[in-house]
Amino acid sequence: MAKLAVAIGLFALILVTAPLVAVAYRAGGLGLSAADWSALRFTLWQALLSAILSVLLAIPVAKALSRRHFFGRSTLITLLGAPFLLPVIVAVMGLLALFGRSGVLNTALSALGLPTLSIYGLQGVLIAHVFLNFPLATRMILQGWQAIPAERFRLAESLSFTPREIHRHLERPMLIEVLPGTFATIFAMCLTSFAVALILGGGPRATTLELAIYQAVRFEFDLAHAAGLALLQVLVGGLAALVAWIAARQAGFGAGLDRRLPLPAPTGWRLWLDSTAILFATLFLLGPMLAVLLPAISGLLDLPSQVWPALARSLAVALGSTLLTCVTALVLALGAARGQRWLDIAATLPLATSGLVLGTGLFVLLQPLIPPASLALPVTLLVNTLLALPFAYRLLLPEARALETDYGRLADSLGLHGLARLRLLSLPRLARPLGFSAGLTAALSMGDLGVIALFASESQATLPLVIQRLSGAYKQDVAAAASVLLVASSFALFWLFDRKGRNAQA
Amino acid sequence: MRISLAAFISCLAIPAAAETPVLTVLTYDSFISEWGPGPAVEKAFESICSCDVRFVSGGDGASLLARLQLEGASSEADVVLGLDTNLTAAAEATGLFAPHGQPAANALPTAYDNALFLPYDWSWFAFVYDKTKHPNPPKSFEELAASDLKVVIQDPRSSTPGLGLLLWVKAAYGDRAAEIWTGLSDNILTVTPGWSEAYGLFTEGEADMVLSYVTSPAYHRIGEQDDTKDWAPFSEGHYLQVEVSGILANSDQPELAQAFMAFTQSPEFQSVIPETNWMYPATDIALPEGFETTRPEKSLLFSDVEAQSTRQAALEEWQSSLSQ
């Protein structure tokens, strides 16, 4: 198992670096220009702010969800996975329907005779990144809360701890364990932002590294420049992973009895805070999604026939990469929990790689061997696995560590190893994060457009590629309806896996 | 190892029909969508060539060239369809193209004769707007800059219409281009990576005008029976986008490729273009009913070489004017 973890970790590192090296080798070097430094500054600044805001907003929401019980709570927790799996342009359109120039907010403001607000600029980039990432942060932090054994809260209660003391002894150690990884994940995600930053950033002021890479690869064919930029991006992402690695400390609550004891609801202003947090999360989540998806639903009935085989292809790729991702992430997380901490870096770096350079590099590597079109689906599968790995790993890691600390020695002393240990101990204990990871991976790879565009011929299009083709041929309304189909099927996969994981725990 | 890996992976591929020759056409995404020209073109050519036409898409026009440069001489493609004249100088410099051997296309507003690249359609860039909301659209870039209208444009670093606008302003204003961009900066609502995002923002009512083509309103009139969209004639003249195709020198089907080039000029191909690609046909054929209302009075177009040499400086000018 440990050897397998090392092998997979190395393979992930190779898969991240080899395409980059291939691109640089093909170009004969690395190049950067003066304009890149301002792109780097903007990229870092927006990623930092986006990650801070997402995490800060997620803490009260996760806390409220961990101790409040209300109708629809379980659905809301599932829906937290949804923004993350919206295709970027759908998310942007949804936000514009609310905050845009002719959106709900500004229409209301001008009806009241108030000055309107512009979403275009850094504020728009942040709103979009928070919309896309804060639900994920909430889920990650919520898992942390749920991983604190209920007996610890009972004990605190019987010792008459004040909320402040509970925070100090239980919640703060948990947050110190969970937050750095959550932060690094979101930071790395926002590093590679391209369309969101450009559209909502309002123009060339909001140039990110990924846009510069796009320009270098697609327009100027300056591969040295692209490789230089991609390397910069990977270095920054790696640095973030390193900082998270240093900052995180295991909370060490010890094992509990796995009883589900409802936490008491708070009193006074804290009760109001909880309700506000939940209300805010619900509105901020559902508003943009409903605004963009509802009007397009009517178009579902007359979708073109191209859509259905594309949907089947997307589903197949999604299920394949889900299986691969879950296996690799599980092996890596268990390996890291047993002391191979460098795996942290191997499992975070894929987030910071540019999808375009990854695709281009693989293309350069494989094209001399085999016609690219025959590789479209296998390569997509591989890349999707690589890109989903960081999330799955990050979700599994805290619980894998707790599992190792709490039950590792017992299992060792019982001689429980290999597959038996996996079946009897690891899988049941990790069912919840594993289900969530599987759901996210499936949904992510359903929606991924990344490399398929570089490899596919007409007969191999996945659903996101068909949507792109439709929206380029004036059929924006059909593209919108096809997006509804994409979102619905992504969400169905996500819901299925996530539900399974959460029920297995009970 | 090499062979076994290749053999393994080719098992995953769909086996191609071995008997009939295959013509591989590299083109942009929207060309091969169900509503694009692709399906009709494929059917029409296959009925006369006894071959199998296979489209491979590689993003938009600019990424086609990058794709070719990446693949070099080992590209599978026989024909590339979808470059525009702002990219042909760079395409020629790759040395990957062979002469097409066809006479120049005869229905362009300015003559375009290039031994390597053959136009198959074209249109003028224009700002499209809703005439029920804005009965008096601006008549020039300067009027647009002075108005409080909000436009959405495409990024010249990632999209061919964006690059077209950059060269349009440069062709119309020369040394004054930076000044025009500075004047326009408060009218530019935002810049999108590609055409479809920009057009989507416009149809959702987020922007007053969008950079598109004079032929875009025809889509709404004919395709959607919606007569509310129009394009604003600018007194500076309108920059042309001429879309071309070319044969790759390394094609293993040179005769088929030649035949396809001739086919792009035939009425069968050309008559598909207006109502699927929403561009003007490159040869003199009758336009569909309601396709055209008026034409711009003046056409602007840099030569292939000028477009290539102007681009970098114009881009820097654009970026610094809009970043202030």
Side-chain angles (χ1 to χ4, degrees), chain A residues 12-176:
Chain A
L13 279 182
I14 290 172
L15 212 50
V16 168
T17 45
L20 189 66
V21 173
V23 171
Y25 179 76
R26 168 78 190 265
L30 296 170
L32 286 173
S33 71
D36 297 335
W37 298 111
S38 72
L40 175 65
R41 261 200 310 279
F42 176 76
T43 308
L44 285 178
W45 181 230
Q46 60 82 14
L48 196 68
L49 287 179
S50 303
I52 292 175
L53 281 175
S54 302
V55 169
L56 283 185
L57 283 171
I59 295 172
V61 178
K63 185 170 184 170
L65 284 172
S66 75
R67 62 186 177 188
R68 302 299 300 277
H69 294 269
F70 51 91
F71 178 74
R73 173 180 175 273
S74 169
T75 315
L76 180 61
I77 293 178
T78 308
L79 278 175
L80 283 173
F84 193 66
L85 48 91
L86 289 180
V88 165
I89 187 66
V90 174
V92 169
M93 286 299 185
L95 288 169
L96 287 178
L98 288 195
F99 306 110
R101 208 167 140 250
S102 55
V104 175
L105 180 69
N106 280 328
T107 312
L109 283 177
S110 57
L112 295 171
L114 296 168
T116 56
L117 301 169
S118 170
I119 192 177
Y120 301 97
L122 183 62
Q123 68 275 24
V125 178
L126 295 183
I127 290 178
H129 283 162
V130 169
F131 171 72
L132 293 168
N133 295 308
F134 121 90
L136 180 73
T138 307
R139 279 294 301 257
M140 286 179 161
I141 299 170
L142 178 63
Q143 291 220 358
W145 243 291
Q146 289 171 335
I148 303 177
E151 291 79 14
R152 306 295 177 276
F153 281 107
R154 271 294 166 88
L155 183 63
E157 211 179 326
S158 66
L159 292 172
S160 312
F161 272 19
T162 61
R164 190 185 291 269
E165 285 161 336
I166 292 183
H167 179 76
R168 191 168 137 219
H169 293 287
L170 294 177
E171 293 166 349
R172 201 165 60 190
M174 181 279 291
L175 288 175
I176 290 175

Side-chain angles (χ1 to χ4, degrees), chain A residues 26 89 93 96 100-102 120 194-195 198-199 202-205 207 211 214-215 217-221 223 304-306 360 363-364 367 369-375 378 453-454 456-458 468-476 478, chain B residues 2 9 12-13 29-30 32-35 42 54-57 62-63 66-67 69-71 74 76 150 155-159 163 189-193 195-197 199-201 205-208 216 219 278 311-312 315 318 322-324:
Chain A
R26 168 78 190 265
I89 187 66
M93 286 299 185
L96 287 178
R101 208 167 140 250
S102 55
Y120 301 97
F194 161 34
L198 185 61
I199 299 178
R205 272 177 304 254
T207 295
L211 173 67
Y214 191 92
Q215 180 191 5
V217 172
R218 289 292 175 88
F219 238 81
E220 280 156 13
F221 197 65
L223 290 185
S305 60
Q306 278 178 332
T360 309
F363 195 96
V364 168
Q367 187 239 353
L369 304 174
I370 324 143
S374 60
L375 284 177
L454 203 56
S457 67
E458 71 193 303
Q468 170 161 309
R469 288 174 183 170
L470 286 170
S471 58
Y474 286 93
K475 295 289 176 182
Q476 317 261 347
V478 186
Chain B
R2 261 191 172 202
I9 293 176
L12 302 172
D29 279 332
S30 60
I32 56 179
S33 91
E34 200 153 296
W35 278 284
E42 180 173 352
R54 199 168 66 98
F55 285 114
V56 177
S57 77
S63 46
R67 165 88 175 244
Q69 284 167 303
L70 200 59
E71 294 182 338
S74 62
E76 282 182 287
K150 293 285 186 189
D155 198 311
R157 295 169 295 175
S158 57
S159 109
L163 179 59
L189 182 70
T190 193
V191 178
T192 64
W195 176 87
S196 61
E197 296 94 355
Y199 212 78
L201 286 182
E206 188 64 15
D208 301 312
S216 300
Y219 164 75
W278 303 99
R311 191 171 103 192
Q312 193 54 41
L315 195 58
W318 176 83
L322 292 189
S323 294
Q324 280 158 17

Side-chain angles (χ1 to χ4, degrees), chain B residues 31 72 91 109 135 166 200 215 249 280 298 300 306 310:
Chain B
F31 195 87
L166 186 79
T215 38
Y280 282 104
K298 190 177 161 196
L300 303 171
E306 280 171 329
T310 316

Side-chain angles (χ1 to χ4, degrees), chain B residues 98-120:
Chain B
H100 54 71
Q102 299 294 318
N106 61 13
L108 270 59
T110 34
Y112 182 84
D113 194 1
N114 186 315
L116 299 181
F117 303 103
L118 184 63
Y120 63 90

